[in-house]
Amino acid sequence: MKKVDCIFIGGGLMGLASALFMARDGKKVLVLDKDCTGKHASGVNAGGVRSLKRDIAELPYIHGALAMWHNMEKIVGSDCGFYQTGYLIAAEDDQAMRELEQRAAQTRELGYDNEMLIGRDRLRELAPIVREHCVGGIMSVKDGHASPAETCRAFHAALVGAGGVVHNHCEVVGIDPGENGFCVHTTSQGKLYAEQVVNCAGAWAGKLAHMIGDTLPVEPVGASVLVTARMPRLLHPFVAVQGRKLWFNQARNGTLLICGGYLADVDMEKGLTRMNFHELQACAKVAYDLFAVTDDITIVRSWAGLDGETPDHFPIIGYSNKVPGLFHVCGFSKHGFALSPMVGQVVSALLQGKKPEVGIAGFEVERFDRVSDLVASNPIPHENCGNLSNYK
Ligand SMILES: Cc1cc2nc3c(=O)[nH]c(=O)nc-3n(C[C@H](O)[C@H](O)[C@H](O)COP(=O)(O)OP(=O)(O)OC[C@H]3O[C@@H](n4cnc5c(N)ncnc54)[C@H](O)[C@@H]3O)c2cc1C
């Protein structure tokens, strides 16, 4: 078999988008998925495209990505179901409002003007269902919602249209690095050869790295979403509350989606998630505390999916420091969907030795080498995450 320029292991959006932009530059690319493209996190997430209160380190990525989401029809021939909803975070008291004011000032200083403070009256207008005690909030109007399934289908089709090849039901079971690239062993396509290999295996990225003699601190994590019966239109933006773990939004069909990183149990032997009723109960309780409509709603279903998570909840993007030519794009820690088009562009540029539009400083795997003992023995608790300086 002829050697290709790059094999992407994992047909989620990180693999599909990176392969697409490389294929458009005339490179020969293969995407392999043990199941099928979009079967895991990329196809089953909550569809939130949020710049609001993103960690500072991710702002260049999300702003690049947002511009792409607003222009998706031109990029992949489909709007991917993206529509602008806005994202809003309400403050429950003056202290929370001060925190949001600080955040708005910080992003303004960095040159981003999208995070706007709103007062109590505007909050009531935009999200009348937020309970009375909330005093104001912060909003980013350009954020929105896209359909994960449509997005995966569109990127897959665009990739094939650009000359890329996708093999579904093709599990990578071994990788041999050699002097002239890699030999990749698969279940359905035998041996495949490539100049470079990209690990975009989502929840399986740590396992895949191990297969080739590398180590990555990426663990599988399950995240869940609650869905209500259809309701009359109650709100347009995604709504959250400062300091609470909750996102609440109303889909175009009227159902409310309630999520916020509530965990599901994970069975990696079967590659499955199972609902965790304690987590769902905690999620419903926070929704009840904060939204006035929750007395009247009926939860009709819930779903969960798997993602790869790093100890500091930031992705890993960059070349392996142990296996030359191996590139990692993983560990998106339950918030990678929104970033994926921009990540694809950056990864494609880096793999071709070009200068990307946005750098990867802070996302390289080396950050964990410096603190590997600390991470292993004392992972940073969730509430303190979101600050890369914790790892410097
Ligand atoms: C329930 C839920 C809700 C979420 N909501 C949001 C949201 O609202 N907004 C947001 O921005 N993000 C959200 N996310 C996170 C987002 O979906 C992920 O961060 C992102 O999709 C990760 O993409 P990926 O390509 O890295 O992984 P995946 O989409 O999981 O793709 C990895 C692929 O690798 C394949 N694979 C693994 N091992 C092998 C192997 N050995 N051989 C071949 N193939 C292999 C798998 O089959 C899989 O298809 C959510 C995640 C979940 C689970």
Side-chain angles (χ1 to χ4, degrees):
M1 154 122 203
K2 256 185 84 186
K3 192 156 87 174
V4 296
D5 293 304
C6 192
I7 290 181
F8 294 85
I9 304 171
L13 280 168
M14 301 307 163
L16 291 172
S18 309
L20 168 64
F21 294 117
M22 235 181 135
R24 284 195 176 151
D25 285 342
K27 300 292 175 194
K28 296 255 170 302
V29 296
L30 270 181
V31 173
L32 312 178
D33 201 288
K34 65 180 177 53
D35 295 316
C36 56
T37 56
K39 159 97 191 240
H40 292 288
S42 299
V44 304
N45 61 73
V49 176
R50 169 182 63 85
S51 66
L52 185 62
K53 275 206 94 203
R54 275 268 163 189
D55 189 274
I56 299 298
E58 289 183 351
L59 287 181
Y61 276 82
I62 191 63
H63 283 285
L66 251 186
M68 294 171 83
W69 283 109
H70 280 268
N71 202 23
M72 228 19 132
E73 185 86 52
K74 286 213 177 101
I75 300 171
V76 291
S78 155
D79 65 6
C80 298
F82 177 80
Y83 65 110
Q84 184 172 331
T85 59
Y87 260 70
L88 187 161
I89 297 176
E92 289 190 85
D93 52 32
D94 293 342
Q95 170 57 28
M97 198 62 210
R98 275 193 295 279
E99 287 165 17
L100 296 180
E101 283 161 8
Q102 277 168 12
R103 163 72 187 192
Q106 190 186 19
T107 49
R108 254 198 323 274
E109 250 172 54
L110 291 165
Y112 301 103
D113 60 0
N114 62 309
E115 300 196 15
M116 295 172 317
L117 296 165
I118 54 172
R120 186 190 284 268
D121 294 345
R122 185 76 179 126
L123 174 65
R124 291 265 91 70
E125 258 169 55
L126 290 165
I129 63 169
V130 173
R131 289 207 189 269
E132 283 288 321
H133 65 277
C134 292
V135 294
I138 192 169
M139 176 154 198
S140 173
V141 288
K142 286 216 157 167
D143 295 357
H145 185 265
S147 157
E150 277 179 53
T151 307
C152 290
R153 272 198 300 274
F155 273 82
H156 183 147
L159 169 62
V160 172
V165 175
V166 177
H167 292 306
N168 281 329
H169 308 294
C170 178
E171 181 170 358
V172 172
V173 288
I175 309 169
D176 296 330
E179 276 189 12
N180 299 312
F182 295 85
C183 171
V184 175
H185 302 259
T186 71
T187 48
S188 62
Q189 298 290 325
K191 293 181 191 171
L192 300 167
Y193 299 89
E195 215 46 76
Q196 303 192 78
V197 162
V198 182
N199 172 9
C200 29
W204 296 264
K207 182 179 167 192
L208 197 93
H210 188 67
M211 202 183 277
I212 192 173
D214 201 352
T215 42
L216 281 187
V218 179
E219 293 293 329
V221 63
S224 53
V225 182
L226 282 173
V227 187
T228 73
R230 291 178 191 213
M231 308 276 290
R233 178 68 33 204
L234 296 166
L235 80 167
H236 195 60
F238 271 66
V239 181
V241 178
Q242 171 68 0
R244 305 270 206 143
K245 217 174 101 173
L246 191 78
W247 282 106
F248 199 86
N249 88 298
Q250 188 165 28
R252 283 201 274 207
N253 67 4
T255 59
L256 295 169
L257 300 186
I258 311 172
C259 54
Y262 287 88
L263 300 179
D265 296 331
V266 167
D267 177 346
M268 288 312 279
E269 293 245 315
K270 297 194 175 122
L272 290 177
T273 47
R274 292 200 182 84
M275 302 319 296
N276 178 319
F277 288 96
H278 294 294
E279 288 281 311
L280 291 184
Q281 190 184 25
C283 175
K285 160 121 188 37
V286 180
Y288 181 83
D289 287 348
L290 298 169
F291 297 104
V293 287
T294 36
D295 289 335
D296 308 321
I297 63 177
T298 311
I299 307 274
V300 291
R301 69 187 171 92
S302 57
W303 87 81
L306 282 167
D307 202 1
E309 188 156 72
T310 61
D312 61 4
H313 300 252
F314 288 101
I316 295 172
I317 306 175
Y319 280 106
S320 160
N321 50 358
K322 298 196 183 74
V323 183
L326 173 67
F327 197 98
H328 298 296
V329 190
C330 52
F332 284 86
S333 306
K334 308 191 290 258
H335 61 274
F337 175 69
L339 302 171
S340 57
M342 189 66 191
V343 171
Q345 271 202 347
V346 168
V347 170
S348 162
L350 289 167
L351 290 168
Q352 297 179 69
K354 298 181 187 165
K355 189 174 180 317
E357 212 175 295
V358 176
I360 52 168
F363 296 133
E364 299 105 324
V365 67
E366 287 82 23
R367 72 185 189 269
F368 295 110
D369 290 350
R370 287 198 288 275
V371 288
S372 53
D373 294 343
L374 169 71
V375 172
S377 60
N378 185 21
I380 290 180
H382 241 280
E383 63 273 21
N384 298 338
C385 287
N387 183 352
L388 280 174
S389 61
N390 284 329
Y391 278 94
K392 289 192 174 129

